[in-house]
Amino acid sequence: MLAGLGFRQFQTSKIRTSIFVHTSRTVSGNPHCHSASDLEALVLGQYRNGKFRHLLHAAISDPSFLLAACRNLSPDETPLSSDSIARVIALEDLSLDLRAGRFDVESSCVKIFPSRKKGSSLVLPKLDLKIVIEAVRMVLEIIYEKRFATFAYGGRPKMGRHTALRYLRSSVENPNWWFRVVLRKQVLDICRLKTVLAEKIDDDELIGVIERLFTSEAVVVELGGLDLGRGLPQESSLNAILVNIYFHGLDLELQGIRAQIHCGNPRFRGLDKVEDSQIFHKPIRVYALRYLDEVLIATSGSKLLTIDIKTSILKYVENKMDLKVDKLNTSIHSAVYENISFLGMEIQAVSPLVFHPPLSEKAMRAKKKHLKQVEAKASELKNARETRRKKLGMKILKHVFKKLKRAGELKIDFHAEGEIREVFRTWAEEVVAEYLKSKEECLHWHRLLTSSEFLSLKGIREQLPESLIDAYDQFQEKLDKYFMPGRTSKQLDENEMKEKDEERRYAKRTVQDLTELCIRVNAPVELVRRAVKLAGFTNSMGRPRPIKLLMCLDDSDIIKWYAGIGRRWLDFYCCCRNFRMVKTVVSYHLRFSCLLTLAEKHESTKKQAIRHYSKDLKVIDENGVDEIHFATEKEIRMMGDRNLADPSPVDGAISMTLVRLAVNDNLSFCLVHFCQSTDTILYRVRLLQNRLNVDPSNEEKWVPGMAAIHEALNRKCLPLCEKHATDLFLGKICLQDLDCTSSLNVD
């Protein structure tokens, strides 16, 4: 719950629930900061007779709760102090207005008009309303988070896109048919939402505030569109939790369908534990996955069963949820022969052979050649080692014979007998161990040394001394120990066992390739290339080209803008099977487009730009230290599926360009929430759809599935400090972290 509320480095404290009803103050009049567990206890303490009551008065209007909401809104890693928040907004006055019912939602909204006459306007909330919205989201999350289904992703802590795709790949087994529930573009019905909220919440004032948020258009939830979960300014932080609450009934319906089918098709116990079992039992299973308003249903049964499931689900969505379904796109597809688009990825059921394909003839020849080279190198080292030992031994013997011949005795100043003995013993052991590896030689010497066994005769042994007999018996024991044919056959049996194990594993892998299906997740190659071309990174031939609109920026800002887009692409598609293609787009197209833009700006060639900035796009800061913002080629090669976060798509970054104005505005504060810096730089927002004069809803001219920032923000000027401008370029923050209602209109 701590991660879901977004708290950073809070210290937990044991405080009784009863004190939360009263407003907590410090000596200076600022509200106390309570831990996440205390805030959760404050909300859960309002549960009476099966419903939550008086949430607005007891929880949302509490200054400590509003303080936690302010810290959630701050994009900075370090938590804000109460004094820094008090300089921006008076939480005590906001708390009193909420409790007294004087808070006006409509007056806390600003309507932003577009730059063109035929454009649509956008209503955005001010900072005080954003704080209230965040407090409402926190309360709803505490109430509903533990009630959501396990297959419901999006807008939840540690339940993002990558986690959903990992569940899809690890849990979905042998799907035959699947379909998506595609909704038409429509606004969430507030009347139906109020009915769903009233099932758990008995607070007319809180539900009234949510209703006024919808009527004032401060919160607009558009289902079937592309604005959910993408970090765009027209999306509110309350949208995700409201969508999950609205679709919770559908999740329960899916759970009921799954339980009914699974009970009728039980799995045999203990069958999977028998490795050599020739029985393949695959019970019918139904899998469901929902990310906000995107729903995917997969079955391992027949198509008739899938049709029945689809019919019951669409009936529930249309009749119980009052939603319009796009039945043309809500069609059943074969999981094996057709791929389906989900969460911006292309998924398909494939054989496990696709993930571990057999070596080609060329690869096998290369492997054999490599093994031969390794054996030849080992033989060369062995021969060289034996040659050195032979030379060293001959030198030692010559030296000893020379001393004995001249003086009649060997006199040395130090005792080297132990060291020499150890050296020769090591050499002897290595030679013997190497010799015993040859099984044929062992068998040959065993036959020669045991061919005459006259000393084993009783009459002969009685006539010989005991010392000789004991020496002979010990010799026979050593001979049987090292040259016994049984030992050789045992090692041969071990080799045969290894071969049989390898054959068994190969047979098992072959059976799995023929009987099992896995989920492959791929990045949409054509859509990525189309987005690269639409944004101007490449020309009609698919080669990198410069973007002249960026030439008015500093060199570091140009590199940061490219780096932000590249890192977002890498983070978003790192879980895909064809991630190498995305790496190529970032490492080649974006990198060289950036170099060409820098070369065009300074009227130089590409080689000169590479010589100056290097391929890693290094820039020197004010202190003379090299900075690298763009992912290096080594970092890109090392990237993979190790992320379980919910990365924002590249839509907001690639469709927006910030153009720096020649005049600095030192009179305006930075627009990032709770930033008090007045040393700001003015940046003008230039949207891609306005530059190209393209309607984002037209899929023929726009990239299908790629969202766009609302056109009302086009050509608006944003005063930003240097730190937050860098964060916005690099994609660490988005326009949701800015108070866009205070944007400037500069001609």
Side-chain angles (χ1 to χ4, degrees), residues 150 195 199 221 240 340 344 401 420 446 508 545 551 561 634:
T150 56
T195 304
E199 295 176 359
V221 181
I340 191 171
F401 287 135
I420 295 175
H446 189 272
K508 183 179 179 180
R545 62 177 293 270
M551 294 181 186
W561 185 77
K634 184 178 180 180

Side-chain angles (χ1 to χ4, degrees), residues 202-480:
D202 186 9
D203 191 349
D204 295 336
E205 295 182 355
L206 174 58
I207 296 178
V209 169
I210 296 176
E211 184 178 5
R212 290 198 298 273
L213 290 175
F214 277 84
T215 55
S216 63
E217 298 183 0
V219 174
V220 178
V221 181
E222 185 184 32
L223 302 176
L226 301 174
D227 295 341
L228 289 177
R230 297 179 184 262
L232 302 180
Q234 59 265 29
E235 179 190 3
S236 173
S237 60
L238 196 61
N239 289 14
I241 186 69
L242 291 180
V243 170
N244 286 331
I245 294 172
Y246 195 83
F247 279 78
H248 182 57
L250 178 61
D251 297 340
L252 297 179
E253 182 71 14
L254 289 172
Q255 286 181 342
I257 294 174
R258 291 177 57 186
Q260 181 181 0
I261 295 177
H262 293 179
C263 290
N265 299 272
R267 189 186 299 273
F268 294 160
R269 295 183 179 179
L271 187 61
D272 297 337
K273 297 181 181 179
V274 183
E275 296 182 357
D276 298 333
S277 177
Q278 301 296 325
I279 302 175
F280 300 98
H281 174 62
K282 295 182 180 180
I284 298 176
R285 288 291 178 263
V286 178
Y287 304 96
L289 179 61
R290 182 180 65 81
Y291 184 88
L292 296 179
D293 61 340
E294 297 185 53
V295 183
L296 176 67
I297 310 296
T299 65
S300 60
S302 62
K303 189 173 183 179
L304 293 177
L305 175 65
T306 310
I307 292 175
D308 295 338
I309 295 174
K310 173 188 171 183
T311 303
S312 59
I313 290 175
L314 295 186
K315 183 178 179 181
Y316 183 89
V317 171
E318 293 177 343
N319 298 336
K320 298 294 184 64
M321 301 178 65
D322 298 331
L323 297 178
K324 298 178 181 179
V325 181
D326 186 0
K327 295 185 179 180
L328 181 62
N329 293 322
T330 308
S331 57
I332 299 176
H333 299 272
S334 173
V336 180
Y337 299 105
E338 299 178 80
N339 58 14
I340 191 171
S341 178
F342 186 67
L343 296 182
M345 317 286 182
E346 294 179 353
I347 60 175
Q348 187 178 3
V350 297
S351 171
L353 186 65
V354 176
F355 298 102
H356 50 82
L359 295 177
S360 61
E361 294 182 0
K362 183 177 180 181
M364 294 178 65
R365 289 195 301 269
K367 183 178 180 180
K368 291 180 180 179
K369 182 179 179 181
H370 174 70
L371 294 177
K372 289 182 180 179
Q373 290 177 351
V374 171
E375 293 178 358
K377 186 67 175 178
S379 178
E380 291 178 2
L381 293 176
K382 175 185 174 182
N383 295 334
R385 185 169 59 252
E386 292 178 352
T387 302
R388 288 194 299 269
R389 289 176 179 176
K390 182 178 179 181
K391 290 182 178 180
L392 181 59
M394 294 301 296
K395 287 183 179 180
I396 293 174
L397 292 176
K398 287 181 180 180
H399 179 74
V400 171
F401 287 135
K402 183 178 180 180
K403 291 293 184 180
L404 290 174
K405 185 177 181 180
R406 289 183 178 180
E409 60 180 351
L410 182 63
K411 295 181 179 180
I412 53 177
D413 298 334
F414 58 91
H415 299 282
E417 180 181 358
E419 287 78 0
I420 295 175
R421 187 185 300 275
E422 181 66 22
V423 171
F424 278 95
R425 186 184 65 80
T426 304
W427 291 353
E429 290 179 354
E430 292 181 0
V431 172
V432 172
E434 185 69 24
Y435 182 80
L436 292 178
K437 289 182 180 180
S438 177
K439 310 306 175 187
E440 293 79 6
E441 295 291 341
C442 292
L443 290 173
H444 174 69
W445 281 104
H446 189 272
R447 286 193 298 268
L448 292 178
L449 297 175
T450 57
S451 58
S452 57
E453 298 182 354
F454 64 96
L455 291 179
S456 300
L457 300 176
K458 184 177 180 181
I460 301 296
R461 293 174 67 91
E462 291 177 354
Q463 301 178 12
L464 297 176
E466 294 183 359
S467 58
L468 179 61
I469 295 175
D470 294 340
Y472 175 77
D473 293 340
Q474 292 178 2
F475 174 75
Q476 288 294 326
E477 291 178 1
K478 296 292 184 181
L479 186 65
D480 294 339

Side-chain angles (χ1 to χ4, degrees), residues 18 52 58 71 105 115 118 253 262 355 532 537 591 674 725 734 742:
S18 59
F52 292 88
R71 294 188 171 177
V105 175
S115 57
K118 296 183 179 180
E253 182 71 14
H262 293 179
F355 298 102
V532 167
F537 296 121
R591 188 186 305 275
F674 304 105
C734 59
S742 302

Side-chain angles (χ1 to χ4, degrees), residues 112-114 116-122 710-713:
I112 300 178
F113 296 94
R116 63 189 186 97
K117 295 181 180 180
K118 296 183 179 180
S120 59
S121 59
L122 175 64
H710 198 279
E711 62 174 347
L713 295 177

Side-chain angles (χ1 to χ4, degrees), residues 528-542 545:
V528 171
R529 291 174 179 172
R530 190 169 173 180
V532 167
K533 183 179 179 181
L534 183 68
F537 296 121
T538 59
N539 54 20
S540 58
M541 300 294 293
R545 62 177 293 270

Side-chain angles (χ1 to χ4, degrees), residues 701-738:
K701 296 183 179 180
W702 193 256
V703 180
M706 189 176 83
I709 299 173
H710 198 279
E711 62 174 347
L713 295 177
N714 186 47
R715 302 189 66 84
K716 294 295 185 291
C717 294
L718 308 177
L720 298 172
C721 64
E722 185 177 357
K723 175 182 179 301
H724 290 124
T726 300
D727 293 342
L728 185 60
F729 276 117
L730 294 177
K732 297 179 181 179
I733 62 176
C734 59
L735 292 182
Q736 283 186 346
D737 300 317
L738 275 66

